[in-house]
Amino acid sequence: MEAMQEQEPAGRIKQVVKLTVFSIVMFAPIALLSVVVDTPLFGFSPFESAFVNGMLNYQLSALLVAGLALLLTFVFARKVRLRYLSMNRTGAMRPFFANRAGGRWESDGWFLGLIMVAIVGLVTFFQFLPAGFAFTWVHVLLVIPFAAMNAFTEEAIFRLPYVTMGANETNSRIYGLVMGSLVFGVLHYWGAAPNGLLGAIMSTILGFVLAKSIQETRGFFWAFTIHFMLDLPILLFILNQAP
């Protein structure tokens, strides 16, 4: 009995150390992501717009950074590995964002996503409205692949690793929820849109919801899908700014 009591504090210390080390190590892909924004690894220029070419090269470079984040997660999370990368979309939604009895992600996830898209879309629209817009078919169509790449990249870097390590090391949801929301929110203070204090707050809330979706479905579907849906209006307005 005494031996078990002695092992518990030692086990907790080991958990804290491992989560701390992982949190520090994860700043490597985060830092690399900020580097490839200005200096992407590719130099393709298939479009007339230098801005759109830059976006293409950034998204392609960011996918490689996402691969690094997944590799680090695979190495550190020896029990869970990349199990949460599955496309499972079913699970009970705890009563944070539904009725008091809770809900189901496979049905309420769409409703929740559409509400968030409407809010983020309006904020982004008014952020870029003063400069005006110049919509072109090419730029409108590029919104879809760019949104898909960006959603996957950011979820693979900012959300999945923390939720996975939280599940790997503890029986608590706290680490995944806190890290998967705060890191994402703080960095979006300096992001493209929405940014500033409002953007940071909105991104923190979004991060909480998406981390929660991964935990409760044990899958990546809703985190990716809702993020993709949100990126559609954001990139629509960013790519079609007036020159």
Side-chain angles (χ1 to χ4, degrees), residues 36-113:
V36 298
V37 169
D38 298 319
T39 55
L41 302 175
F42 303 98
F44 302 120
S45 55
F47 306 108
E48 294 182 3
S49 169
F51 178 80
V52 174
N53 288 328
M55 176 67 74
L56 170 65
N57 292 316
Y58 161 70
Q59 294 295 348
L60 293 174
S61 303
L63 285 175
L64 297 180
V65 179
L68 173 61
L70 293 176
L71 176 61
L72 291 172
T73 304
F74 181 84
V75 171
F76 273 83
R78 294 184 178 180
K79 291 183 291 185
V80 179
R81 297 297 190 186
L82 298 179
R83 196 176 305 161
Y84 287 173
L85 197 58
S86 75
M87 285 290 106
N88 184 41
R89 64 186 186 91
T90 63
M93 181 185 288
R94 299 197 181 186
F96 290 100
F97 303 101
N99 55 53
R100 291 183 179 180
R104 299 291 304 179
W105 276 101
E106 57 266 32
S107 55
D108 299 329
W110 295 113
F111 178 71
L112 179 62

Side-chain angles (χ1 to χ4, degrees), residues 117-185:
V117 167
I119 295 172
V120 171
L122 282 174
V123 171
T124 308
F125 172 76
F126 285 111
Q127 179 179 326
F128 288 98
L129 181 61
F133 301 103
F135 293 96
T136 66
W137 280 112
V138 173
H139 292 179
V140 169
L141 292 175
L142 284 173
V143 166
I144 296 175
F146 283 175
M149 287 190 284
N150 191 70
F152 178 83
T153 292
E154 295 196 350
E155 290 306 311
I157 294 174
F158 295 110
R159 209 96 49 230
L160 187 72
Y162 299 118
V163 173
T164 300
M165 277 300 292
N168 190 80
E169 296 300 321
T170 72
N171 293 322
S172 171
R173 303 177 345 132
I174 294 175
Y175 176 80
L177 290 174
V178 171
M179 295 299 291
S181 56
L182 283 183
V183 174
F184 188 67

